[in-house]
């Protein structure tokens, strides 16, 4: 396994853990949007939405650009790629472990079957 600092990954997973933040990312998937547009359909205050956006920004999942009075947000998929890579590494690890266990159990069953046949 490749060892890396877990801090960026921790921030990504923490940001993704909340359904409101996932909804914000879903909205930004197709195009940038103003903060007020993001907040409009959500059942909370603009201040609460802003707190969620800050968490997404700290995780690097969202970028903010200020144009005049408007704050535009866009999605940054790079941290998601790193999270996917981590999941893929661990999936491969556990699949190899499961395959090794299955092989071991098959070998034991075959050896037991062979011993039983010899004893008859």
């Amino acid at each position: 396994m490749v060892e890396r600092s877990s801090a960026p990954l921790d921030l990504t997973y923490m940001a993704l853990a909340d359904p409101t933040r996932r909804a914000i990312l879903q909205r930004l998937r197709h195009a940038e949007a103003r903060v007020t547009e993001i907040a409009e359909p959500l059942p909370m205050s603009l201040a609460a939405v802003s707190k969620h956006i800050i968490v997404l920004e700290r995780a690097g999942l969202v970028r903010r650009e200020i144009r005049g009075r408007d704050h535009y947000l866009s999605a940054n998929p790079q941290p998601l790629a790193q999270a996917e890579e981590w999941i893929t590494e661990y999936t491969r690890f556990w699949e190899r472990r499961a395959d090794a266990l299955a092989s071991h159990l098959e070998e034991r069953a075959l050896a037991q079957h062979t011993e039983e046949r010899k004893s008859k």
Side-chain angles (χ1 to χ4, degrees):
M1 292 271 153
V2 177
E3 291 296 324
R4 305 183 185 96
S5 167
S6 65
L9 195 57
D10 293 345
L11 291 172
T12 298
Y13 282 117
M14 182 186 70
L16 294 174
D18 185 275
T20 298
R21 293 191 286 268
R22 291 192 306 270
I24 292 169
L25 287 174
Q26 183 71 21
R27 167 60 178 83
L28 294 173
R29 201 171 82 176
H30 301 291
E32 71 177 14
R34 293 188 339 239
V35 171
T36 53
E37 294 169 335
I38 297 293
E40 188 176 304
L42 297 173
M44 61 187 72
S45 68
L46 182 58
V49 172
S50 291
K51 289 179 182 180
H52 284 290
I53 291 169
I54 289 168
V55 172
L56 291 167
E57 287 178 302
R58 285 185 183 145
L61 292 164
V62 168
R63 293 184 182 124
R64 181 187 304 252
E65 183 182 337
I66 301 171
R67 298 181 208 149
R69 291 184 176 180
D70 292 322
H71 290 231
Y72 287 86
L73 303 175
S74 60
N76 176 26
Q78 186 57 39
L80 293 175
Q82 293 166 350
E84 179 184 23
E85 182 182 324
W86 185 87
I87 289 172
T88 300
E89 286 177 22
Y90 276 90
T91 299
R92 275 191 238 133
F93 170 79
W94 286 111
E95 284 173 349
R96 285 192 305 266
R97 298 290 296 197
D99 290 345
L101 176 60
S103 294
H104 173 71
L105 294 174
E106 287 173 11
E107 289 171 12
R108 278 187 63 186
L110 181 60
Q112 185 177 7
H113 180 69
T114 303
E115 284 297 317
E116 288 173 1
R117 287 181 64 193
K118 284 182 184 178
S119 65
K120 288 184 181 181

